[in-house]
Amino acid sequence: MVAIPYLFNEIERIFQNTPLYVIVLEGFLLLSVIWLLFVKRNGRGKRFSREEEEAIIANYEPEPLVANTNPNHPLLKTHLVQSKVGKRVVVDGNDCLNLATHNYLGLLEDKKILEDACNTLKKYGVGSCGPRGFYGTMDVHLDLEDRLAKFMGMEESVVYSYGFSTIASAIPAYAKRGDVVFADEMVNFSIQKGLDASRSTIYYYKHNDMADLERLLIEQQARDAKNPKKAAKTRRFLVAEGIYINTGEICPLPALVALRAKYKLRLFLDESISFGTLGKTGHGLTEHFNVELIEVDLIMAGMENSLATIGGFCVGSHFIVEHQRLSGLGYCFSASLPPLLTQAAISALDRFESEPQMFAELQQIARKVQEVFGKFSKLTLRANELSPVKHLYIAEQRANAEEECELLTKIANKVCVNKFLFI
């Protein structure tokens, strides 16, 4: 009997010390639980007899897992490669000059690199079977990171096992929700996926148009002035490519560096194409424009082009790079780069340092190709003369994309038969 008055006193005390909106919310939640347990459970609708259930099951036709596909879709018509991919490649029985490769320096066929990779295979096996932070780090990984940092003249580097994930992981490791990123409208797909993963606010400026970029930066300044408290917490990034794979054009790095300093931006540069192709010693865009490395906060690059291996790397200050070892998703959760491919990258760097004349030779060839391709009457060329990536477009526009695709397919098939391979 004594417990009942005590219980009512406790309830009264709780009601007096609890805000009204909390009581209303808890009451609503209690009624919702009661409704789910008793009302909805008992009102599931009509119950079928066993015969009706069997009839429904017999007449059920599930939707196909894959929708009907056009058998003539161009992606279903692939060419068959029947040889090692290098300067020349056998496609559908035709020995072709391979103009569809990113093996710019021809290191994919280098016998010394192949021998070093085979020796590493015998020592370490095929793969590491683990991410870098969990029994996946071998001495060759540390050697490669040290060599890349020294070659680029930076404090530290970090190596990823896949070029695409390098770029797509490095950007969201720093840019987060609430940050602002300014990017060229022609950036590659890995940068686009990295921007999506960052959940930042993205502003795209017209390709290589510094006036349009500054317009966006001025507009951002105006937004910051309206809300200085938010602006104090907002970080601003600028993302560009050394050589844009979608256009073959070089980004105006000195102008980007000037805007970086003026508007206090963090500059991320993807040198997947320019690394090993630009500059007297292949150091990339910074060497080409003679820009101090300290002006670029993070340099990223895939090793699947000039280095003729797999993976990618980022170089920068110790503070910048070390952060990726905990926040770079492609680094933390992917198996590390196979040792034989790691050694291939080290051996390729040996060639970079011992034969720097190869870069001048590549640039000379790029100029010659630019001159020859520029004379085509039915095709137009888009690329910088030093770029190893050249884009050819049909000079006369067609009525629709299907007609244009059909024409391009015919051209590709014809040049393949005539011992050239384009893509």
Side-chain angles (χ1 to χ4, degrees), residues 210-224:
M210 296 300 99
D212 190 54
L213 171 58
E214 187 159 21
R215 175 186 63 82
L216 294 175
L217 293 172
I218 293 173
E219 291 177 357
Q220 182 62 37
Q221 273 191 336
R223 287 189 291 268
D224 293 342

Side-chain angles (χ1 to χ4, degrees), residues 3 45 98 130 223 234 252 265 327 411:
N98 190 1
R223 287 189 291 268
T234 301
L265 307 170
S327 300
I411 294 174

Side-chain angles (χ1 to χ4, degrees), residues 29-30 60 69 106 128 132 134 145 181 188 192 213 218 243 261 263 266 290 299 325 364 378 391 402 407:
L29 293 175
L30 178 61
Y60 173 67
T69 305
S128 61
R132 289 290 301 273
F134 192 76
E145 289 178 343
V181 181
N188 60 48
Q192 294 174 32
L213 171 58
I218 293 173
I243 295 178
Y263 293 96
R266 294 172 172 87
N290 196 26
I299 293 177
R325 301 191 190 277
Q364 183 179 4
K378 302 297 183 179
H391 285 265
E402 292 182 1
L407 177 59

Side-chain angles (χ1 to χ4, degrees), residues 372-393:
V372 173
F373 283 10
K375 296 178 181 178
F376 292 160
S377 59
K378 302 297 183 179
L379 299 171
T380 57
L381 173 66
R382 182 178 185 180
N384 184 278
E385 65 172 3
L386 295 178
S387 171
V389 176
K390 310 293 184 184
H391 285 265
L392 291 171
Y393 302 89

Side-chain angles (χ1 to χ4, degrees), residues 12-24:
E12 183 180 3
R13 184 180 62 82
I14 292 173
F15 272 84
Q16 290 176 350
N17 297 328
T18 304
L20 179 60
Y21 75 90
V22 175
I23 297 174
V24 173

Side-chain angles (χ1 to χ4, degrees), residues 1-15:
M1 295 295 294
V2 179
I4 295 176
Y6 174 77
L7 180 61
F8 278 104
N9 291 335
E10 284 298 309
I11 294 175
E12 183 180 3
R13 184 180 62 82
I14 292 173
F15 272 84

Side-chain angles (χ1 to χ4, degrees), residues 240-255:
E241 288 182 73
I243 295 178
Y244 289 91
I245 195 170
N246 290 326
T247 65
E249 297 174 345
I250 296 176
C251 89
L253 184 60

